Amino acid sequence: MTERQAKPENPLVHLLSGASAGMFSDAFVHPIDTIRARMQVQRGNVLYNNMSDAVLKILKHEGWRTFYKGFGIVVTFTIPAHAFYFLGYEAGKRYIQPSKPIQQKGPLVHFLSGLIAEVCGAVVWTPMDIVKQRLQTQSKSSIVQYHNSLHGITSLMRDEGFKGLFRGFGPGVATYAPFVGLYFMFYEQGKVLGTKITGKNPEKLPPIVHLTSGFLSGGIAAALTNPLDVIKTRIQVQSSESVGGYKSGWHGFKTILKEEGPGTFLKGIRPRVLWIAPGTALTIASYEQFKKLASFVID
């Protein structure tokens, strides 16, 4: 390994690249996330039969702006969240099995580094998710809880306190940590395959490899962890005064299984995959490109 390959990257590179990549991808996929949230919280009388039905009904009864409900808080929070997320991942890759060169580290290191990344990002993402999803699931026919993102965060603090900001933190990490671990494990293997196919150095792979690997890895990991996401979303949408709410992730799992059946855990799987797969593709591809640019500017 050359001296340049051995040189640790500046953490500022990961912070700036992660923040830029997160902002770029979230702007594109937020509407699909809104549909996912609405489909997952449906109980009893189903309003949306499928994804296309949801799109048509929202457009007809609420207008296109509804697809961007909660985007204000996403813009505010996604920058630090993605910055910490990628910083955590890169730190995990470097410090787990430190005696091995990064290029020689295997799937287990990538999976564990993904878990670290999620915990780092979740500290910022959890409050964002709560307000975002409560805004997303409000319709014109329901009682308006929050008027906008700022009103949402201030109301949450006033009504539920600091603890309310982290409602569902445990189920959230339990949902996204396995997802992120699986995602990065699959993604890094995709890069290995891309290196073999193109014959290029891993650091010089073309963007199409990052896009393809990110898309497939994100889609597979999203589908595998959808049941956990259903539980997490329902816990975060309910308020502290909700009657018959879920007391924990395990309680939510048992209640859903008993009252609604196992098929409920597949609710929203299509919009979840269609939200996450392009989102992870855009995020990781732009992250890799921003990282090259930031390394050139900073170093």
Side-chain angles (χ1 to χ4, degrees):
M1 188 161 64
T2 66
E3 182 181 350
R4 179 162 180 79
Q5 288 174 312
K7 182 182 176 182
E9 290 180 315
N10 190 329
L12 184 60
V13 169
H14 303 140
L15 283 167
L16 294 176
S17 303
S20 303
M23 184 72 180
F24 179 73
S25 66
D26 282 341
F28 282 91
V29 298
H30 189 82
I32 305 174
D33 182 37
T34 298
I35 297 169
R36 171 205 61 87
R38 290 201 173 193
M39 292 186 72
Q40 287 185 337
V41 299
Q42 291 185 125
R43 305 191 205 183
N45 295 326
V46 174
L47 177 60
Y48 308 123
N49 297 314
N50 51 51
M51 189 174 175
S52 58
D53 184 47
V55 171
L56 294 174
K57 285 179 178 175
I58 290 171
L59 281 173
K60 181 179 178 180
H61 299 294
E62 301 177 63
W64 67 268
R65 287 186 176 86
T66 299
F67 291 116
Y68 277 92
K69 276 189 173 182
F71 187 63
I73 197 166
V74 170
V75 171
T76 305
F77 280 59
T78 200
I79 293 175
H82 273 94
F84 290 134
Y85 172 83
F86 279 109
L87 182 64
Y89 179 66
E90 297 288 355
K93 278 203 302 183
R94 183 162 296 279
Y95 294 112
I96 297 174
Q97 294 184 342
S99 60
K100 276 189 174 183
I102 284 183
Q103 302 295 350
Q104 294 179 18
K105 295 185 180 183
L108 180 60
V109 171
H110 300 141
F111 180 82
L112 294 175
S113 299
L115 302 187
I116 295 171
E118 172 54 28
V119 173
C120 292
V123 174
V124 181
W125 266 319
T126 301
M128 181 198 82
D129 257 354
I130 294 170
V131 175
K132 177 195 71 169
Q133 289 176 149
R134 290 184 184 182
L135 283 165
Q136 287 174 321
T137 54
Q138 289 179 168
S139 64
K140 286 188 175 181
S141 59
S142 64
I143 297 174
V144 175
Q145 188 176 15
Y146 302 146
H147 298 293
N148 51 49
S149 296
L150 180 60
H151 179 245
I153 199 75
T154 54
S155 297
L156 180 62
M157 283 287 291
R158 183 193 66 227
D159 299 336
E160 301 179 45
F162 181 79
K163 187 178 179 181
L165 291 174
F166 292 92
R167 175 176 296 279
F169 180 83
V173 171
T175 299
Y176 283 111
F179 160 74
V180 176
L182 289 169
Y183 163 67
F184 275 119
M185 185 175 73
F186 294 147
Y187 172 71
E188 295 288 358
Q189 292 307 301
K191 284 175 64 177
V192 171
L193 181 60
T195 300
K196 292 178 179 178
I197 292 173
T198 63
K200 292 182 178 292
N201 184 291
E203 295 180 357
K204 296 182 179 180
L205 287 170
I208 188 64
V209 173
H210 301 303
L211 283 167
T212 304
S213 182
F215 186 91
L216 294 175
S217 302
I220 295 169
L224 291 174
T225 56
N226 193 74
L228 297 171
D229 192 47
V230 172
I231 299 169
K232 185 270 303 180
T233 300
R234 289 192 175 190
I235 288 176
Q236 290 185 326
V237 167
Q238 70 186 17
S239 67
S240 57
E241 293 85 14
S242 295
V243 178
Y246 306 133
K247 299 173 184 177
S248 65
W250 178 242
H251 179 248
F253 170 77
K254 292 190 295 182
T255 304
I256 292 171
L257 192 61
K258 179 181 178 181
E259 297 180 356
E260 302 176 62
T264 302
F265 293 114
L266 298 180
K267 276 189 174 182
I269 189 170
R270 187 180 178 190
R272 174 171 163 79
V273 170
L274 291 178
W275 161 50
I276 286 180
T280 50
L282 288 170
T283 299
I284 199 67
S286 54
Y287 172 70
E288 298 282 8
Q289 299 310 306
F290 281 128
K291 191 165 68 168
K292 291 177 185 177
L293 177 62
S295 297
F296 176 78
V297 173
I298 293 174
D299 296 341

